[in-house]
Amino acid sequence: MTELRVLVVTGSVRKPSYTTALATAVGARLSTDNAKVAWWDLAEQPVPIADPAFHRAPENHPDLAVRRLVKLTDAADAIVLASPLYHNSFSGVLKNALDCLSMRQFQHKPVGLASHGRQRSTQAVDQLRTVVRGLRGVSTTTPLCTMDSDYLPAVNGGEPCLVAPDIVERLERFVTELLDLAAALRPLRTGTVARTRAERVQ
Ligand SMILES: Cc1cc2nc3c(=O)[nH]c(=O)nc-3n(C[C@H](O)[C@H](O)[C@H](O)COP(=O)(O)O)c2cc1C
């Protein structure tokens, strides 16, 4: 099997950001399993307010950033969504980016969910799970939810560093589940399983 491609989308515009630090830890761990990681940091690559005129065909959006995001999401075998906890939910910046995409980018793709807040609350990832279902993605069962004390503080303009042993251990499950599902669902997306079903019906 060719390498699995994972797109990591981060939804904090703060610098430095715990959410981005969490996403960085996820990406680094994915790379050690030979996944090819692509990044979309909404702080550095903002997208315009979602335009419903392109709801069904976001690849035709006039904005280059949206078209690039669509292309990267199309190419991904799995997606990671990372968000700060804002008012008991995930960030509006991330929701807007998801509204720039369509079900075609997510169908039969595993989506790993990660968030950072003042506590290890699951509120953001629980709400993301509902949105992922609306996009026909397959959210994985092991979310990553962190709080400030799970990190060493940022130094010299860098990012905080994830160190909490239980979260680092959970990251293993997060990555294993995401990549296992990505490998299992790839045939469904590429048509192999669909053909088998068609043959069964004949
Ligand atoms: C608009 C806004 C709403 C927030 N709401 C919550 C909240 O409901 N619960 C919480 O625990 N923290 C809340 N916070 C705190 C953030 O989750 C916290 O600052 C976190 O570090 C942000 O992640 P970041 O470092 O990636 O930006 C809020 C922060 C902002 C700016």
Side-chain angles (χ1 to χ4, degrees):
M1 178 186 272
T2 55
E3 64 192 355
L4 293 166
R5 290 154 303 186
V6 183
L7 173 64
V8 180
V9 182
T10 57
S12 172
V13 296
R14 214 168 69 89
K15 297 258 178 206
S17 155
Y18 287 104
T19 306
T20 306
L22 179 56
T24 303
V26 171
R29 181 59 190 80
L30 283 165
S31 297
T32 66
D33 264 7
N34 295 326
K36 189 171 165 41
V37 180
W39 301 93
W40 196 281
D41 181 345
L42 286 160
E44 288 171 8
Q45 298 159 285
V47 290
I49 291 176
D51 183 346
F54 299 95
H55 174 51
R56 300 208 182 278
E59 67 278 9
N60 295 334
H61 199 288
D63 186 86
L64 180 61
V66 174
R67 291 203 304 277
R68 285 188 51 233
L69 178 59
V70 170
K71 214 169 172 179
L72 271 183
T73 317
D74 276 338
D77 296 297
I79 297 160
V80 174
L81 301 177
S83 174
L85 179 60
Y86 279 1
H87 299 146
N88 296 351
S89 185
F90 57 96
S91 69
V93 165
L94 179 57
K95 180 63 162 69
N96 181 66
L98 294 174
D99 289 343
C100 287
L101 300 168
S102 74
M103 289 187 276
R104 248 179 306 127
Q105 277 76 55
F106 281 81
Q107 185 155 22
H108 298 324
K109 279 186 195 173
V111 182
L113 304 175
S115 79
H116 181 86
R118 283 201 206 99
Q119 302 90 32
R120 287 180 179 176
S121 164
T122 61
Q123 287 168 313
V125 295
D126 285 343
Q127 295 196 26
L128 271 170
R129 204 178 292 284
T130 304
V131 173
V132 167
R133 190 177 68 212
L135 283 161
R136 294 199 184 155
V138 180
S139 55
T140 62
T141 62
T142 308
L144 283 176
C145 301
T146 60
M147 57 186 178
D148 295 9
S149 57
D150 294 327
Y151 297 80
L152 292 177
V155 282
N156 298 333
E159 281 172 357
C161 179
L162 181 66
V163 289
D166 56 337
I167 298 287
V168 172
E169 194 181 316
R170 198 174 171 82
L171 178 58
E172 292 295 310
R173 260 174 58 198
F174 179 97
V175 165
T176 302
E177 189 188 1
L178 188 74
L179 294 181
D180 283 352
L181 273 173
L185 291 178
R186 191 191 254 177
L188 202 58
R189 290 193 293 105
T190 53
T192 321
V193 173
R195 267 202 302 283
T196 311
R197 193 179 56 228
E199 283 161 13
R200 243 192 353 252
V201 170
Q202 278 176 6

